[in-house]
Amino acid sequence: MIIFKGKDLILHHHKGKSDYIIISFRPGYEFNTALDDFFLLPVVKKYDINFLGINAFWNHYYLTSEMNKVIELCNRISKQFKKIIVMGLSLAGYAALKYSKALNADIVFAMSPRATLDKQVCPLSHMSEDAVTKLPYTTVKKSTIQASDIKGKVFLVFDPYVPKEDLDKEHLGYLRKQIGECVNIPTYFAGHMLITHLQGSVVFKSIIDALVSNNKQKVISTVADVRRHHIENIKVKAALFIDKYPYLVYRMLTSQSFLQVQNNQKILNDYRLLLKLSFNLAKKGYQQESANFLRSILFAKTGNFDVSNTTPQQQSCLTPYPYLINFHGYFLAYNYQTKQLEPAANLDEKPYCLPVQIYNQNGKMKLICIHLGFIFELKYQDKVSYHLDLLSDDYTPNHIKPILIGNVMFIHTIERNRFIGVHQGNIHIASRPQDWESFAPISMVSPTQIAKQNSISVNVNNQNITISVN
C-alpha cells in the first residue's frame, strides 16, 4: 500500500504480523519501478513482515525535503513495534545510516554503503557525480554522514576485495571512523552489489531473524553460511579460479554437494563458463577430466556421465576425434549455410552449425566435420568463407591446418599468415597467435572410455569404415 507519494519520494507500507518492523531504502538503480516494487518485496510478502519501503523517483541520494514527511510517517507507524531495523544497499545503505537516528533505528544493516557526496571527503562514483549535478551545493556539502546521524547497532556488510574503482574501501574507511563501534561483516568476492549473494526469500529471512535476535555472532555466522551455499558465491569462485586452478573448480562442480545446491542451473546452463573449464582442464593436462566434463556439458550436466545411457544420436558424437574448445569458452563450428566458421557456446542453439574436430590422417592433422556418418574435411575458400569436401588423401594449400603447442592448438592457413581465434563472441583473424586464439583439442571420449570401446563406425568416401580403438 502506498501511503505517501511526492515528486521525489514514495513510501510503501505492508502491514504484517511480525513484532518488529523493517524500514528499507531502495538502491538507486531502480527508479523506474518505484511505484510498483520495493526492496525485499518477495521476503516481506512471503513471511508477512511489517515493512516500510522508501523509494526514490530520481537520483538524489534521499537528500530531499520530502524526507521530513516520510520520516514523520515512518515514526508514526514504527513506534508501536519492539524493534526497528533499517537497511539499504549502496546509496540506500548511505540513507539507512544517514537517517538511522531520525528513524529511531535499533539495528542498521548497511550493505556496501556510501559515506558522502562531497568529493573532498571521499572520491565519487559516476552515480554519485550524477546526483551532485542535480542537488544544491549546500546539500552536497552537508551530505557527509556524521556520528550524530547514527543510532542503533550498526552492521557494515562489504566485500574487502571489491575492485578499486568501486570506491568501497574509501567510503567504508571514513564510516568506521565516524561510527566507532560497529560490526563488520566481510562478504569476499561478492562485489559492490553484494545483495545478489544474499538473494532468496528463505536465506534472507534467516538473516532478518538473526538481526532480530540482536546477536552479532549469529548475524555474522548466518551471513557466512548463506554465502557459503549460495549459487552466486559458487559461480564467482568458479570464475575466479578457473584459469589457475581448474581441477579444483572441476571437483567442486562435479561434487554431490554441488548437485544439491539450490539454483545450480545458473552454472549448469552457463555453457561458456563450463567450456572454459574444459579448455583449462585440457591445457593443464587433465585430459580425462576434460573429456568427462565436456561430455557432461552436452549430455548429462553432471560430472558422472555414463556412455551406456546415451541415445543413438548422442552415441554418434562419441568419437575419438577431438573437438576444438576456444580459450574464451566456445566450440569452433562450421555453418554450412553461410560457409563460415562460427564460435558456438551451445551447439543446440546453432542448428546449421557442425562442430569442427581434429582428424589425424597418416600423420597429418586435418580439420573435419562429421555429418550423417560422413567425414568432411574443411578447406579454405576465400578471406571469409570455407567449404567442406569428402575426406581424401591430398593435402593442398587451401587446407586449414592445426598446430599443437603443448596441450593447446592454433588454427591457421598453411602459409601461417592467418590465425583463427575468437574475440567478443565472433571469429577473429590474427597475423600471429595470442593466448586467446588458442584451442584445446578435447575428445568427447576420455582415454579410459576409448579403451573400453571396441570400434567406431564412420563413413569415408561412401565406404563405411570400422575403426578399431583398442
Side-chain angles (χ1 to χ4, degrees), residues 109-158:
F109 194 69
M111 297 168 280
S112 304
R114 294 303 191 215
T116 183
L117 282 178
D118 188 348
K119 63 182 177 182
Q120 301 299 319
V121 179
C122 291
L124 303 181
S125 66
H126 293 304
M127 178 165 275
S128 300
E129 291 278 11
D130 175 66
V132 168
T133 64
K134 298 173 180 177
L135 293 169
Y137 175 77
T138 53
T139 300
V140 171
K141 297 308 287 185
K142 293 178 181 178
S143 66
T144 305
I145 292 174
Q146 306 294 333
S148 57
D149 297 322
I150 308 296
K151 182 180 182 295
K153 180 177 284 187
V154 175
F155 293 87
L156 291 179
V157 191
F158 59 95

Side-chain angles (χ1 to χ4, degrees), residues 29-82:
Y29 54 88
E30 298 175 326
F31 303 123
N32 59 329
T33 56
L35 279 170
D36 310 314
D37 199 358
F38 53 79
F39 189 61
L40 299 184
L41 172 63
V43 186
V44 169
K45 289 199 169 181
K46 180 173 182 177
Y47 294 99
D48 205 14
I49 299 170
N50 284 294
F51 187 85
L52 289 161
I54 306 170
N55 291 359
F57 286 122
W58 56 279
N59 183 19
H60 48 60
Y61 257 63
Y62 296 95
L63 297 171
T64 166
S65 60
E66 288 183 358
M67 275 303 300
N68 295 323
K69 180 63 176 176
V70 168
I71 289 170
E72 179 187 341
L73 289 170
C74 287
N75 289 343
R76 193 183 303 167
I77 294 169
S78 65
K79 65 183 181 182
Q80 60 186 296
F81 295 98
K82 292 181 179 180

Side-chain angles (χ1 to χ4, degrees), residues 455-469:
S455 63
I456 294 171
S457 294
V458 295
N459 195 303
V460 180
N461 293 339
N462 292 320
Q463 294 182 350
N464 193 62
I465 297 175
T466 299
I467 302 173
S468 174
V469 293

Side-chain angles (χ1 to χ4, degrees), residues 141-423:
K141 297 308 287 185
K142 293 178 181 178
S143 66
T144 305
I145 292 174
Q146 306 294 333
S148 57
D149 297 322
I150 308 296
K151 182 180 182 295
K153 180 177 284 187
V154 175
F155 293 87
L156 291 179
V157 191
F158 59 95
D159 178 2
Y161 296 153
V162 76
K164 187 176 181 181
E165 59 268 21
D166 283 339
L167 309 175
D168 287 30
K169 290 181 181 178
E170 289 86 347
H171 286 258
L172 283 162
Y174 174 84
L175 286 171
R176 287 197 191 99
K177 292 177 184 177
Q178 292 298 312
I179 296 170
E181 185 179 351
C182 62
V183 180
N184 294 296
I185 306 180
T187 55
Y188 299 98
F189 308 118
H192 177 72
M193 304 305 290
L194 57 85
I195 189 64
T196 57
H197 288 235
L198 305 175
Q199 277 180 337
S201 298
V202 175
V203 295
F204 206 90
K205 177 59 164 57
S206 69
I207 293 173
I208 292 171
D209 290 343
L211 289 169
V212 172
S213 74
N214 207 14
N215 182 322
K216 80 173 184 179
Q217 289 304 324
K218 185 175 180 180
V219 176
I220 293 170
S221 62
T222 300
V223 172
D225 189 56
V226 164
R227 291 199 61 250
R228 186 178 300 114
H229 304 290
H230 201 285
I231 189 61
E232 293 296 336
N233 186 46
I234 296 170
K235 190 171 182 178
V236 166
K237 286 195 291 188
L240 280 171
F241 300 120
I242 199 169
D243 292 323
K244 197 169 183 180
Y245 305 110
Y247 184 70
L248 293 180
V249 176
Y250 167 77
R251 290 291 300 273
M252 177 175 70
L253 298 187
T254 58
S255 66
Q256 286 300 313
S257 58
F258 174 72
L259 297 180
Q260 308 303 317
V261 172
Q262 189 174 12
N263 297 319
N264 63 11
Q265 71 274 8
K266 288 187 176 182
I267 288 180
L268 296 176
N269 292 333
D270 189 343
Y271 287 94
R272 283 194 57 200
L273 176 71
L274 301 180
L275 288 172
K276 189 170 175 63
L277 178 55
S278 292
F279 170 90
N280 282 297
L281 284 168
K283 183 178 179 181
K284 295 281 187 180
Y286 298 103
Q287 303 298 339
Q288 181 162 323
E289 290 81 1
S290 181
N292 290 342
F293 199 68
L294 181 62
R295 201 165 58 244
S296 73
I297 294 168
L298 295 183
F299 298 145
K301 292 189 178 179
T302 74
N304 303 310
F305 182 78
D306 183 358
V307 175
S308 63
N309 292 332
T310 59
T311 65
Q313 183 180 6
Q314 291 171 342
Q315 283 280 1
S316 68
C317 295
L318 298 176
T319 71
Y321 312 128
Y323 292 77
L324 288 167
I325 310 300
N326 177 258
F327 173 91
H328 291 297
Y330 292 96
F331 284 96
L332 182 63
Y334 174 75
N335 187 317
Y336 55 80
Q337 279 200 336
T338 64
K339 300 186 184 304
Q340 293 181 342
L341 293 175
E342 288 187 17
N346 183 357
L347 289 169
D348 290 338
E349 295 177 355
K350 300 270 189 174
Y352 301 110
C353 284
L354 301 172
V356 176
Q357 296 173 261
I358 300 294
Y359 184 85
N360 191 327
Q361 185 179 37
N362 301 321
K364 294 178 180 178
M365 288 187 291
K366 292 184 177 182
L367 298 186
I368 63 163
C369 294
I370 299 177
H371 186 54
L372 299 177
F374 288 85
I375 294 183
F376 299 87
E377 54 188 345
L378 185 69
K379 293 183 180 180
Y380 179 70
Q381 185 163 298
D382 56 36
K383 290 184 178 180
V384 295
S385 65
Y386 305 81
H387 67 275
L388 296 176
D389 284 341
L390 284 172
L391 190 66
S392 64
D393 292 330
D394 72 325
Y395 205 76
T396 57
N398 64 345
H399 275 83
I400 313 302
K401 185 177 181 181
I403 181 171
L404 187 64
I405 301 177
N407 291 322
V408 297
M409 281 184 165
F410 292 93
I411 311 300
H412 57 82
T413 57
I414 287 183
E415 298 84 358
R416 295 198 185 188
N417 58 357
R418 303 181 77 222
F419 287 83
I420 297 168
V422 177
H423 179 64

